[in-house]
Amino acid sequence: MSEFDLITRYFSQKFPKRDDVILGIGDDAALCTIPSDMQLAIAIDTLVEGIHFPNMTRPEDIGYKALAVNLSDMAAMGANPAWMTLVLTCPETNDVWLSKFSQGLRELAEIHNVSLIGGDTTAGPLTITVQITGFIPPNTALTRSGAQVGDGIFVTGTLGDAGLGLAALQKKVVLPHPVQQFVESRLHRPTPRLHEGQALRGIGSSAIDISDGLVADLEHILTASGVGASLQLERLPLSRALRDYLSLESAWNFALGSGDDYELCFTVPPSQEDALKNALSADAYTRIGTIESHHGLRCRDHNGRIFIPKQQGYQHFVKLKVSPRKPRSRSR
Ligand code: ADP
Ligand code: MG
């Protein structure tokens, strides 16, 4: 199959069509109409096989995740995604692989009405880059630099599931099949929190998506905002998978340090807490701490003891030690 056949077959059709795309795939550049009352939010992320996803990841999951991580950046800004471009570098043109990859990409594109408007295709080690453009009303974007002393710190969803999924794939921890499936799907198919991000416009003082682990990503907010923070470990939202199959300390280490969850971490001033309650349902987010003037990040247990996480954010080539939970009678 030639490069051109490949593009026609797998990428130029079947993706959502939008009225604001004047000219999509097939010319030297795409042409799109920008709403006159909006600013553009633009992000790009690359996934490299063996680094950002394990070798042997299913192609449909790779396609899904390549878009999900970019949509997560739109969510973290509070933007509405519209168009994407795709750079696909792959070792060979394998029909089955390409069809499944484009199917996974399309599945998520359809959910959020994102058009594929162009890209590039080359031969080489498997690498996927998606660039995404979204819209946002002027001066409403959630940036990393707006957190202020006294603001609450919140996260969406649960933390550490994707890290446990990776540990399970690497056979560092053994889980029952349904639990393994849950954590693997959290790893391969993260849910971009677009609704939450958009709902936080005008309410949140800062936001970031958690790609490298809560501690590492929250520290980006603290640095950009020139503040510090305290986290209460008991408040970390943990799925049943983490609560049932890891020791509490190990679960905290995953929640604080493992990457790939793509939940949002955001701050809200006390004056906006009622607005937050109206904007999002109570089970969509959890308060985990408070912004403070004293620089740095302190994680405390319920006795006020400081806990130092084992792994501070995702780092290449660094292994996270897993301690399984001590057996006890199942009470919940
Ligand atoms: P050029 O030589 O101008 O770079 P290409 O042959 O690379 O053109 O691409 C032809 C058309 O196909 C362009 O519109 C380009 O945006 C699109 N395209 C190429 N690769 C991809 C891809 N992986 N996904 C989506 N569109 C692609
Ligand atoms: Mg090209």
Coordinates of all heavy atoms in Angstrom, one line a residue, residues 235-276:
R235 N -7.5 12.0 52.2 CA -8.5 12.5 51.2 C -8.3 12.1 49.8 O -9.1 12.3 48.9 CB -8.5 14.0 51.3 CG -9.0 14.6 52.6 CD -9.6 16.0 52.4 NE -10.1 16.5 53.6 CZ -10.8 17.6 53.7 NH1 -10.9 18.4 52.6 NH2 -11.2 18.1 54.8
L236 N -7.1 11.5 49.5 CA -6.8 11.1 48.1 C -7.9 10.2 47.6 O -8.1 9.2 48.3 CB -5.4 10.5 48.0 CG -4.2 11.4 48.3 CD1 -2.9 10.5 48.3 CD2 -4.1 12.4 47.2
P237 N -8.5 10.4 46.5 CA -9.5 9.5 46.0 C -8.9 8.3 45.4 O -8.2 8.3 44.4 CB -10.2 10.4 44.9 CG -9.2 11.4 44.5 CD -8.3 11.6 45.6
L238 N -9.2 7.1 46.0 CA -8.6 5.9 45.6 C -9.7 4.9 45.2 O -10.7 4.8 45.8 CB -7.9 5.2 46.8 CG -6.8 6.0 47.5 CD1 -6.2 5.3 48.7 CD2 -5.7 6.4 46.5
S239 N -9.5 4.3 44.0 CA -10.5 3.3 43.5 C -10.5 2.1 44.4 O -9.5 1.9 45.2 CB -10.2 2.9 42.1 OG -8.9 2.2 42.1
R240 N -11.5 1.3 44.3 CA -11.5 0.0 45.1 C -10.3 -0.8 44.7 O -9.7 -1.6 45.6 CB -12.7 -0.8 44.8 CG -13.9 -0.4 45.7 CD -14.9 -1.5 45.7 NE -14.4 -2.8 46.3 CZ -15.2 -3.7 46.8 NH1 -16.5 -3.6 46.7 NH2 -14.7 -4.8 47.3
A241 N -9.8 -0.8 43.5 CA -8.7 -1.6 43.0 C -7.5 -1.2 43.9 O -6.8 -2.1 44.4 CB -8.3 -1.3 41.6
L242 N -7.2 0.0 44.1 CA -6.0 0.4 45.0 C -6.3 0.1 46.4 O -5.4 -0.4 47.1 CB -5.7 1.9 44.8 CG -4.6 2.2 43.8 CD1 -5.2 2.2 42.4 CD2 -4.0 3.6 44.1
R243 N -7.5 0.3 46.9 CA -7.8 0.1 48.3 C -7.7 -1.4 48.6 O -7.3 -1.8 49.7 CB -9.2 0.7 48.7 CG -9.2 2.2 48.8 CD -10.5 2.7 49.3 NE -11.5 2.8 48.2 CZ -12.7 2.3 48.2 NH1 -13.1 1.6 49.2 NH2 -13.5 2.5 47.2
D244 N -8.2 -2.2 47.7 CA -8.3 -3.6 48.0 C -7.0 -4.4 47.8 O -6.8 -5.5 48.4 CB -9.4 -4.3 47.2 CG -10.8 -3.9 47.7 OD1 -10.9 -3.3 48.8 OD2 -11.8 -4.3 47.1
Y245 N -6.2 -3.9 46.9 CA -5.0 -4.8 46.5 C -3.7 -4.2 46.8 O -2.6 -4.7 46.4 CB -5.1 -5.1 45.0 CG -6.4 -6.0 44.8 CD1 -7.5 -5.4 44.3 CD2 -6.4 -7.3 45.2 CE1 -8.7 -6.2 44.2 CE2 -7.5 -8.1 45.0 CZ -8.7 -7.5 44.6 OH -9.8 -8.2 44.5
L246 N -3.6 -3.0 47.4 CA -2.3 -2.4 47.8 C -2.4 -2.0 49.3 O -3.5 -1.7 49.8 CB -2.1 -1.1 47.0 CG -1.8 -1.3 45.5 CD1 -1.6 0.1 44.9 CD2 -0.6 -2.2 45.2
S247 N -1.2 -2.1 49.9 CA -1.2 -1.5 51.3 C -1.5 0.0 51.1 O -1.4 0.6 50.1 CB 0.2 -1.7 51.8 OG 1.1 -0.8 51.2
L248 N -1.9 0.6 52.2 CA -2.3 2.0 52.2 C -1.2 2.9 51.7 O -1.3 3.8 50.9 CB -2.8 2.5 53.6 CG -3.5 3.9 53.6 CD1 -4.6 4.0 52.6 CD2 -3.9 4.3 55.0
E249 N 0.0 2.6 52.2 CA 1.2 3.4 51.8 C 1.5 3.2 50.4 O 1.8 4.2 49.7 CB 2.5 3.0 52.6 CG 2.5 3.5 54.0 CD 3.9 3.9 54.5 OE1 4.9 3.5 53.8 OE2 4.0 4.5 55.6
S250 N 1.4 2.0 49.9 CA 1.7 1.8 48.4 C 0.6 2.5 47.6 O 0.9 3.1 46.6 CB 1.6 0.3 48.2 OG 2.3 0.0 47.0
A251 N -0.6 2.5 48.1 CA -1.7 3.1 47.3 C -1.4 4.6 47.3 O -1.6 5.3 46.2 CB -3.1 2.9 48.0
W252 N -1.0 5.2 48.4 CA -0.7 6.6 48.4 C 0.5 6.9 47.4 O 0.5 7.9 46.7 CB -0.2 7.1 49.8 CG -1.4 7.2 50.8 CD1 -2.7 7.3 50.4 CD2 -1.3 7.3 52.2 NE1 -3.5 7.4 51.6 CE2 -2.6 7.4 52.7 CE3 -0.2 7.3 53.1 CZ2 -2.9 7.5 54.0 CZ3 -0.5 7.4 54.4 CH2 -1.9 7.5 54.9
N253 N 1.5 6.0 47.4 CA 2.6 6.2 46.5 C 2.1 6.2 45.0 O 2.5 7.0 44.2 CB 3.7 5.1 46.7 CG 4.6 5.5 47.8 OD1 5.0 6.7 47.9 ND2 4.9 4.5 48.6
F254 N 1.2 5.3 44.7 CA 0.6 5.3 43.3 C -0.2 6.6 43.1 O 0.0 7.2 42.0 CB -0.2 4.1 43.1 CG 0.5 2.9 42.7 CD1 1.0 2.0 43.6 CD2 0.8 2.7 41.3 CE1 1.8 0.9 43.2 CE2 1.5 1.6 40.9 CZ 2.0 0.7 41.8
A255 N -1.0 7.0 44.0 CA -1.9 8.1 43.8 C -1.1 9.4 43.7 O -1.4 10.3 42.9 CB -2.9 8.2 45.0
L256 N 0.0 9.5 44.4 CA 0.9 10.7 44.4 C 1.9 10.7 43.3 O 2.2 11.8 42.8 CB 1.6 10.8 45.7 CG 0.8 11.1 47.0 CD1 1.6 10.9 48.2 CD2 0.2 12.5 47.0
G257 N 2.4 9.5 42.9 CA 3.5 9.5 42.1 C 3.4 8.9 40.7 O 4.2 9.2 39.8
S258 N 2.4 8.0 40.5 CA 2.4 7.3 39.2 C 1.7 8.2 38.2 O 0.8 9.0 38.5 CB 1.8 5.9 39.3 OG 0.4 6.0 39.6
G259 N 2.0 8.0 36.9 CA 1.5 8.9 35.9 C 0.3 8.3 35.2 O -0.2 7.3 35.5
D260 N -0.1 9.0 34.1 CA -1.0 8.5 33.1 C -2.5 8.5 33.5 O -3.3 7.9 32.8 CB -0.6 7.1 32.7 CG 0.3 7.1 31.5 OD1 0.2 8.1 30.7 OD2 1.0 6.1 31.3
D261 N -2.8 9.1 34.7 CA -4.3 9.1 35.0 C -5.1 10.1 34.2 O -6.3 9.8 34.0 CB -4.4 9.4 36.5 CG -4.1 8.3 37.4 OD1 -4.4 7.1 37.1 OD2 -3.4 8.5 38.5
Y262 N -4.5 11.2 33.8 CA -5.2 12.2 33.0 C -6.5 12.7 33.7 O -7.5 13.0 33.1 CB -5.5 11.7 31.6 CG -4.1 11.6 30.9 CD1 -3.5 10.3 30.8 CD2 -3.5 12.7 30.4 CE1 -2.3 10.2 30.2 CE2 -2.2 12.6 29.8 CZ -1.6 11.3 29.7 OH -0.4 11.2 29.2
E263 N -6.4 12.8 35.1 CA -7.5 13.5 35.8 C -7.0 14.9 35.9 O -5.9 15.3 35.5 CB -7.6 12.9 37.2 CG -8.0 11.5 37.3 CD -9.5 11.3 36.7 OE1 -10.2 12.3 36.6 OE2 -9.8 10.1 36.4
L264 N -7.9 15.8 36.3 CA -7.6 17.2 36.4 C -7.2 17.5 37.9 O -7.9 17.0 38.8 CB -8.7 18.1 36.0 CG -9.2 18.1 34.5 CD1 -10.3 19.1 34.3 CD2 -8.0 18.3 33.6
C265 N -6.2 18.3 38.1 CA -6.0 18.9 39.4 C -6.2 20.4 39.3 O -5.7 21.0 38.4 CB -4.5 18.6 39.8 SG -4.0 19.4 41.4
F266 N -7.1 20.9 40.2 CA -7.4 22.3 40.0 C -7.6 23.0 41.4 O -7.7 22.3 42.4 CB -8.7 22.5 39.2 CG -9.9 21.8 39.7 CD1 -10.8 22.5 40.5 CD2 -10.1 20.5 39.4 CE1 -12.0 21.8 41.0 CE2 -11.2 19.8 39.9 CZ -12.2 20.5 40.7
T267 N -7.5 24.3 41.4 CA -7.7 25.1 42.6 C -8.9 26.0 42.5 O -9.2 26.4 41.4 CB -6.4 25.9 43.0 OG1 -6.2 26.8 41.9 CG2 -5.2 25.0 43.1
V268 N -9.5 26.2 43.6 CA -10.8 27.0 43.6 C -10.7 27.9 44.9 O -10.5 27.5 46.0 CB -12.0 26.1 43.7 CG1 -13.3 27.0 43.9 CG2 -12.2 25.3 42.5
P269 N -10.9 29.2 44.7 CA -10.9 30.2 45.8 C -12.1 29.9 46.7 O -13.1 29.5 46.2 CB -10.9 31.5 45.2 CG -11.0 31.4 43.7 CD -11.1 29.9 43.4
P270 N -12.0 30.2 48.0 CA -13.2 30.0 48.9 C -14.4 30.7 48.4 O -15.5 30.1 48.5 CB -12.7 30.6 50.2 CG -11.2 30.6 50.2 CD -10.8 30.7 48.7
S271 N -14.3 31.8 47.8 CA -15.4 32.6 47.3 C -16.2 31.9 46.1 O -17.3 32.2 45.8 CB -15.0 34.0 46.8 OG -14.1 33.8 45.7
Q272 N -15.5 30.9 45.5 CA -16.1 30.2 44.4 C -16.6 28.8 44.7 O -17.0 28.0 43.8 CB -15.1 30.1 43.2 CG -14.8 31.5 42.6 CD -15.9 32.1 41.8 OE1 -16.8 31.4 41.4 NE2 -15.9 33.4 41.7
E273 N -16.5 28.4 46.0 CA -16.9 27.0 46.3 C -18.3 26.7 46.1 O -18.7 25.6 45.7 CB -16.4 26.7 47.7 CG -15.0 26.2 47.7 CD -14.4 25.9 49.1 OE1 -15.1 25.5 50.0 OE2 -13.2 26.1 49.2
D274 N -19.2 27.7 46.3 CA -20.6 27.4 46.0 C -20.8 27.2 44.5 O -21.6 26.4 44.1 CB -21.5 28.6 46.5 CG -21.7 28.5 48.0 OD1 -21.4 27.4 48.6 OD2 -22.1 29.5 48.6
A275 N -20.2 28.1 43.7 CA -20.2 28.0 42.3 C -19.7 26.6 41.8 O -20.3 26.0 40.9 CB -19.4 29.1 41.6
L276 N -18.7 26.1 42.5 CA -18.1 24.8 42.1 C -19.2 23.7 42.4 O -19.4 22.8 41.5 CB -16.9 24.5 42.9 CG -16.3 23.1 42.8 CD1 -15.8 22.8 41.4 CD2 -15.1 22.9 43.8

